[in-house]
Amino acid sequence: MKIAIVGTGYVGLSNAMLLAQHHEVVALDIVPKRVEMLGLQESPVEDVDIQHYLKSKPLNFKATLDKQEAYDGAAFVIIATPTDYDPKTNYFNTSSIEDVIRDVLAINPSAVMVIKSTVPVGYTEKIRRQFNALNIIFSPEFLREGKALYDNLYPSRIVVGEQSERAEVFANLLKEGALKEDVEVLFTGNTEAEAIKLFANTYLAMRIAYFNELDTYALTHGLDTKQIIEGVCLDPRIGGHYNNPSFGYGGYCLPKDTKQLVVNYEQVPQNLIGAIVEANSTRKDFIANSILERQPKVVGIYRLIMKSGSDNFRASSIQGIMKRIKAKGVEVIVYEPLLTESHFFNSRVIATLTQFTDEADLIVANRLTDEIRAVSSKVYSRDLFGND
């Protein structure tokens, strides 16, 4: 079977590697550099498993800039284009999805289009009516940055937003490539599948916000946060996972998904969902104030990325801390090896770790690593358990 995948980010490439083990996969992107890298068996995203599969596995895979080449003859077209949250409209920017739908309907109207990009609740049914096309399904992704292929090889569940034969065929394609046995599969309506995605991510954001507020309380009252968290999490109903304090949730998904869900609650009574978004902002205020109380002259921001094994620093929580500190007139420098520019939002980017640690009199790190342990006396972090 031929499968086209649009978008070569974490979602698109992890699905491509999964499916190309048994089927012909053509990945379409609009960025020539990404297509060129994939042609050289190099991953444009930071994911160890994706890179390993590109280099070492016998995949039936190619990347192209040509829409006709990608769509022609494809049974399924998986749409994995970015849908950033637009604060002006309070809505995901879904224009890239609609562009793909137009092209597919023009080139290969019989292909089943599967939206993997995150969308507002109710979007897929609306877009089916708009294009008068019933061959559009939503199927959410539940991936971690840097471990996207792993999470497709060992999926927690597969959700497809249709109860039909073609939905079963698509789910079986994903199961066929997975290494995990007995994967839970759920067939729902499209709108229910969209809600599953947003509510799942908002729950994760809520858990992050909860332990961050626990940490804020403990710090304010001079208590040992780690002892409290360990005691709380010994309750098996709570569990000892996803409990490491941070500067707030960030990254590709959680900030935009929580904001979108708040908007979807318009005319629906709620207190908790909106509070999760507000709690994240409050946490950043608290962290920034804690740093400023130390009266540093030069604050060093150690890494902009959200977590180890990722190359993403879009909407990373540490950027919110950085902006708050700079607004008070404190000089901020940045150490981020992934940056090639000399400045990041008008802050100097320091190329070497030694120069960075020498210049900064306080180093701010969302997550600790071995390379800054030697200057731990300078480091401000809320990383208590050494995991993401």
Side-chain angles (χ1 to χ4, degrees):
M1 184 184 295
K2 180 181 177 182
I3 302 162
I5 296 182
V6 190
T8 60
Y10 283 107
V11 173
L13 278 182
S14 59
N15 276 276
M17 299 299 100
L18 183 83
L19 296 168
Q21 296 174 95
H22 302 287
H23 301 277
E24 177 189 359
V25 173
V26 181
L28 175 68
D29 208 294
I30 59 173
V31 181
K33 179 64 175 175
R34 298 176 81 90
V35 172
E36 179 185 346
M37 289 180 70
L38 288 167
L40 297 172
Q41 299 177 304
E42 296 176 5
S43 174
V45 298
E46 188 75 24
D47 188 297
V48 173
D49 293 313
I50 289 175
Q51 185 60 61
H52 171 66
Y53 269 59
L54 279 170
K55 287 285 189 184
S56 307
K57 295 288 184 178
L59 304 176
N60 188 353
F61 171 78
K62 73 172 296 186
T64 183
L65 297 165
D66 187 337
K67 299 173 188 176
Q68 189 80 35
E69 181 183 12
Y71 300 146
D72 192 34
F76 288 93
V77 176
I78 297 174
I79 303 173
T81 57
T83 52
D84 293 331
Y85 182 81
D86 186 344
K88 294 180 181 177
T89 62
N90 289 325
Y91 204 75
F92 285 132
N93 182 351
T94 57
S95 59
S96 63
I97 298 175
E98 287 130 43
D99 290 342
V100 173
I101 292 171
R102 289 187 192 94
D103 290 336
V104 173
L105 290 175
I107 296 170
N108 183 3
S110 63
V112 177
M113 288 170 270
V114 181
I115 299 174
K116 284 285 185 181
S117 308
T118 306
V119 297
V121 178
Y123 174 80
T124 304
E125 291 303 319
K126 184 190 80 171
I127 216 71
R128 285 170 66 144
R129 293 191 298 270
Q130 179 181 321
F131 285 95
N132 192 27
L134 297 178
N135 54 328
I136 305 172
I137 304 172
F138 180 75
S139 176
E141 280 295 345
F142 307 100
L143 306 177
R144 294 168 293 172
E145 295 165 26
K147 295 184 178 179
L149 179 52
Y150 180 91
D151 288 339
N152 259 327
L153 294 169
Y154 301 92
S156 58
R157 72 279 208 198
I158 293 169
V159 178
V160 184
E162 191 172 88
Q163 296 170 321
S164 65
E165 183 179 343
R166 65 189 183 186
E168 290 185 20
V169 170
F170 182 72
N172 286 333
L173 289 173
L174 300 179
K175 287 176 67 177
E176 180 185 29
L179 297 178
K180 181 182 177 180
E181 297 181 4
D182 301 321
V183 179
E184 291 278 355
V185 180
L186 184 63
F187 298 100
T188 69
N190 279 313
T191 306
E192 285 77 8
E194 293 161 349
I196 288 168
K197 171 67 173 183
L198 292 188
F199 275 101
N201 274 350
T202 300
Y203 178 85
L204 295 176
M206 179 185 69
R207 188 168 171 110
I208 293 169
Y210 175 85
F211 285 106
N212 280 342
E213 290 210 347
L214 185 159
D215 181 53
T216 296
Y217 180 89
L219 286 173
T220 301
H221 291 283
L223 305 177
D224 188 318
T225 300
K226 190 173 184 179
Q227 289 182 10
I228 299 171
I229 290 177
E230 287 174 340
V232 167
C233 292
L234 284 172
D235 186 325
R237 295 170 299 177
I238 298 171
H241 59 280
Y242 224 59
N243 61 359
N244 193 17
S246 67
F247 296 158
Y249 61 77
Y252 281 124
C253 296
L254 300 192
K256 66 175 186 175
D257 290 5
T258 50
K259 290 174 183 175
Q260 182 62 61
L261 190 57
V262 170
V263 174
N264 278 125
Y265 259 89
E266 189 177 11
Q267 300 180 342
V268 178
Q270 64 87 17
N271 295 106
L272 178 61
I273 306 301
I276 294 166
V277 176
E278 293 173 8
N280 206 43
S281 180
T282 299
R283 174 64 170 180
K284 293 175 186 175
D285 290 341
F286 176 81
I287 293 295
N289 288 335
S290 297
I291 293 166
L292 291 168
E293 284 173 1
R294 289 161 169 76
Q295 300 183 328
K297 293 181 180 179
V298 180
V299 171
I301 301 296
Y302 173 76
R303 306 303 307 266
L304 297 170
I305 57 172
M306 277 302 302
K307 59 181 73 175
S308 60
S310 169
D311 59 358
N312 167 45
F313 44 82
R314 181 171 64 180
S316 62
S317 57
I318 203 166
Q319 289 190 55
I321 309 304
M322 179 178 171
K323 291 173 185 175
R324 286 163 170 79
I325 295 169
K326 290 179 66 174
K328 298 298 183 180
V330 177
E331 182 183 357
V332 172
I333 59 175
V334 176
Y335 176 74
E336 177 51 74
L338 295 174
L339 284 176
T340 56
E341 301 87 354
S342 63
H343 287 76
F344 182 79
F345 286 106
N346 298 317
S347 290
R348 287 186 298 129
V349 176
I350 308 300
T352 68
L353 183 62
T354 301
Q355 182 185 349
F356 171 77
T357 57
D358 285 345
E359 285 198 36
D361 49 53
L362 182 69
I363 295 169
V364 177
N366 188 48
R367 290 293 179 249
L368 299 173
T369 67
D370 288 338
E371 69 178 358
I372 57 171
R373 294 198 188 279
V375 289
S376 58
S377 61
K378 282 187 174 186
V379 175
Y380 178 89
S381 178
R382 297 309 305 151
D383 180 2
L384 302 181
F385 295 101
N387 55 44
D388 293 325

